[in-house]
Amino acid sequence: MVKFSRELEAQLIPEWKDAFVNYRQLKKQVKKIKISLHPRLDSDAAAAGDEEIPSFGISIFDGFRALAAGFSSTSTRGHRDLSISEDDDSAEEVEPVQSREVEEKSFFNKLEKELEKVNKFYETKEREFCERGEALNKQLQILLDLKKILDEHYRRRQQRRCSSASQGAFLDRFNSSPISGPVSPFLLRSISTDIRVVVAADRTSQTDEPVSDSSTSPAISEEVISALERNGISFVGSARSKAKKGAKLKAATMRIDIPATTPGKTVSAITSMVWEDLVNGARKEGECGGDYISRRKIQCAEKMIRGAFVELYRGLGLLKNYSSLNMIAFTKILKKYDKVSKKQASSGYLKKVKRSHFVNSDKVVKLVDEVETIFIKYFASNDKKKAMKFLRPNQPKESHMITFFVGLFTGSFVTLFTVYAFLAHISGIFSSTFEPGYMETVYPVFSMFALLSLHIFLYGCNLFMWKSTRINHNFIFEFNPHKALNYRDVFLICTSFMTIVVGAMVIHLILRSSNFAPHLVDAIPGTLLVMFFGTLICPFNIFYRSTRYCFLRVIRNIIFSPFYKVLMVDFFMADQLTSQIPLLRYMEFTSCYFIASGFKIHPYETCTNNKSYKLLAYIISFLPYYYRAMQCARRYMEEGYDPNHLANAGKYISAMLAAAVRWKYAFDPTPMWLAFVIITSTFATFYQLYWDFVKDWGLLNLYSANLFLRDELILRNNSIYYVSLALNFVLRLAWIEAVLRLNLGPVENRLVDFSLASLEVIRRGHWNFYRLENEHLNNVGKFRAVKAVPLPFRDME
């Protein structure tokens, strides 16, 4: 059975961690009370009197023990004679009682402070969620009114097309339709894809401008203003505000803020802003022409409101869980106190806890029911099952069949790898006399698959360790628990992947040794590559489609880093790419090799001696570091200009500089470039080590209770952290091999390059565990437990 303290730590929310009851501290206080109730050791020995001490035989150390015991008893008697008064018996009896009273008083004082802390935090969050719920209700009502008006107007536009050909031609010119009338209707303007709705409110003022379809427009305008006024949008100069008839035309302005989180929205924001500025510049002051609203913009606002409701529901669930966990914590700690003190003194205080606000308040429960009702009605077409898929996705069930297949594929992989090693030894492919084409062309292709499989395997190990240590990785990465992979799934993918790859290697080697047609034999690695790529983009719901598409979305976000909002999973995956630069080079060579073979060009010379190929390899070495630097720049702009993000970007820029110098040294091995390599690589290495240890792992805290570590550690054995520090330091020095320039043959060079690439992947998998451990404990990325989803409609006034 899992101890409650561990269960509590597993369900802690990093952002709210300090607001939970300090269960460990209260347990320590109960332990102090327990110790204060026990008599002293010397009084126990005195009470034993002439009780016979059992003998366990004679030892050569008995004389030393007797001498030490005599010295100890003499010094103790002298000390007690000086410190204890004449009524020493009463003093010995009173002292434990006084200590117990002090400890109990301290315990209840701390308990009171913890209860006050929990109540205060709960009230704050409850108020915040209730205000957010009211704002969302108001936003939803505005959206429903606008959709109703828009649907009605589109219906009337169809009627007007039959009666007015000229007006129909004008309307066809635009995708979005104007709502015309004596009042200026809506303008949904994209400014960072923000949409502004302008309603000119002087419907009673006289105007000489022509009005189209005057028979229908006043009703629409009346409905527009009524709908918006019900939701807090005021109108200046209107009849409702009892303005004078001669008042100038004024406008109440409302915006729909749609954040530019994607490249499409960013480009749309810029073009829309420029276009509107051009249009507004051509207008005269006070004119109200060319104001438009479109279904696409309303749909975007609807999607934002739906996401806000889902996030509100999720936040309410976290708050309910917060309340229940703290209630259980108080109950258990009071039961421990009763057990230690051997009395039922805590029952009164437990009643006080049950009467506290975080237990008694029903606002959160009512708000949860209200959100469910609204979501089912307006976003799920009254389909409760569909709504619950958004609001409460089910946890996946672990299947033992997956474990069976993992074992099956593991056995197959080991068998095939043994066969391959035996065939390789017989054919002598690793000897210098074997045909060099195998190591130069085929081996990089299979090395690419091997590195990818190794990374997947290490990710499975990470998932296993995170689950074992109760690190909530799904919450940190914002994965859907219903669709996220567990470690069994990852091991299944890894073992099946490697079984197919090694099987292809065996078949390729057998056919090559049997003198089959070279073009057919060399097609095996290409066929394998096409098969895996096709599986990755397969649109059918097979082979973990949600995970595959999530992976593709993350890769897309990384490639277009400056244009997408950076999430935890995005920069975590980009960090993985910085450790897979050899894999990216192997991918480049593989693509070049098979493309050149398709064009009947000699592939090996084309993909090794061509200047364009070398330049592309140089760029690929930079890309992962560039992506991470761009992500840091984006976070710097979005998160209040935190200088830590600029410092983090500097780490990747230093790595880019070191890689560039090493690349230059590979082509021009002069002493000057050797000096530059040592200087830049050493600086980049220590920069990265500092960031690994201090920022990413949170270690090397000089004031920590754990020497050179941090105060809170998940692993109990501190020596593991010291070994990890040393291991990460050693593996960061792999660049020294480029400086040494070992005189090896082509086969040995390939094996050394693959070994170094594998060590870097192992270092990254090792780094992953401590990075997420630190995030789980300290929320170093400053990510919110409940995302503040921006709401579309905002009153500019």
Side-chain angles (χ1 to χ4, degrees), residues 546-658:
S546 60
T547 301
R548 290 187 283 110
Y549 280 18
C550 178
F551 173 77
L552 293 175
R553 281 195 300 270
V554 171
I555 295 298
R556 177 205 62 188
N557 294 353
I558 293 172
I559 294 174
F560 299 100
S561 294
F563 304 106
Y564 281 96
K565 183 178 177 63
V566 182
L567 304 177
M568 173 75 182
V569 66
D570 295 334
F571 71 75
F572 192 83
M573 178 61 74
D575 278 327
Q576 311 305 305
L577 291 181
T578 60
S579 295
Q580 284 286 18
I581 292 176
L583 181 142
L584 298 178
R585 288 179 176 173
Y586 288 146
M587 290 179 64
E588 179 204 11
F589 176 83
T590 303
S591 303
C592 176
Y593 183 83
F594 288 109
I595 291 173
S597 299
F599 285 101
K600 306 299 181 182
I601 305 171
H602 199 288
Y604 180 68
E605 283 74 10
T606 303
C607 297
T608 53
N609 299 329
N610 188 278
K611 291 183 178 180
S612 300
Y613 174 84
K614 293 180 179 179
L615 178 62
L616 184 59
Y618 176 71
I619 294 173
I620 285 176
S621 301
F622 276 8
L623 279 178
Y625 300 116
Y626 166 78
Y627 293 146
R628 280 298 287 122
M630 290 298 100
Q631 287 178 337
C632 293
R634 171 89 186 209
R635 292 190 67 190
Y636 173 75
M637 298 296 294
E638 286 187 341
E639 299 180 14
Y641 303 100
D642 187 353
N644 282 321
H645 295 310
L646 287 184
N648 197 12
K651 178 185 70 171
Y652 296 105
I653 293 172
S654 69
M656 291 170 63
L657 179 62

Side-chain angles (χ1 to χ4, degrees), residues 19-21 111-127 319 322-323 326 330 349 352-361:
F20 278 84
V21 59
L111 203 62
E112 188 68 30
K113 289 180 181 179
E114 293 296 318
L115 180 60
E116 183 181 355
K117 178 184 73 174
V118 170
N119 267 326
K120 186 176 180 180
F121 178 82
Y122 186 88
E123 289 175 2
T124 302
K125 286 297 176 183
E126 183 184 63
R127 192 182 314 113
L319 193 59
Y322 170 85
S323 173
N326 281 292
F330 279 116
Y349 195 87
K352 180 181 179 180
V353 173
K354 291 181 179 179
R355 289 194 302 266
S356 59
H357 184 79
F358 81 95
V359 177
N360 264 345
S361 178

Side-chain angles (χ1 to χ4, degrees), residues 417-430:
F417 188 79
T418 304
V419 172
Y420 175 77
F422 178 73
L423 293 175
H425 177 70
I426 293 177
S427 60
I429 64 172
F430 296 114

Side-chain angles (χ1 to χ4, degrees), residues 375-405:
F375 201 91
I376 292 170
K377 182 177 180 181
Y378 296 108
F379 299 106
S381 303
N382 291 318
D383 188 347
K384 185 175 181 180
K385 186 177 180 180
K386 179 181 177 181
M388 289 301 108
K389 288 182 179 180
F390 286 95
L391 298 177
R392 283 188 304 201
N394 296 323
Q395 294 288 342
K397 296 181 180 179
E398 295 184 354
S399 173
H400 293 289
M401 285 298 295
I402 295 179
T403 307
F404 168 75
F405 282 113

Side-chain angles (χ1 to χ4, degrees), residues 429-432 434 439-440 744-752:
I429 64 172
F430 296 114
S431 65
S432 57
F434 192 77
M439 292 299 297
E440 298 296 335
L744 301 173
V747 176
E748 290 77 7
N749 270 328
R750 288 287 183 182
L751 293 177
V752 168

Side-chain angles (χ1 to χ4, degrees), residues 165-189:
S166 60
Q167 183 179 6
F170 177 76
L171 293 174
D172 290 339
R173 184 181 172 189
F174 300 94
N175 290 328
S176 53
S177 59
I179 306 177
S180 56
V183 302
S184 173
F186 295 98
L187 169 66
L188 268 74
R189 173 194 177 194

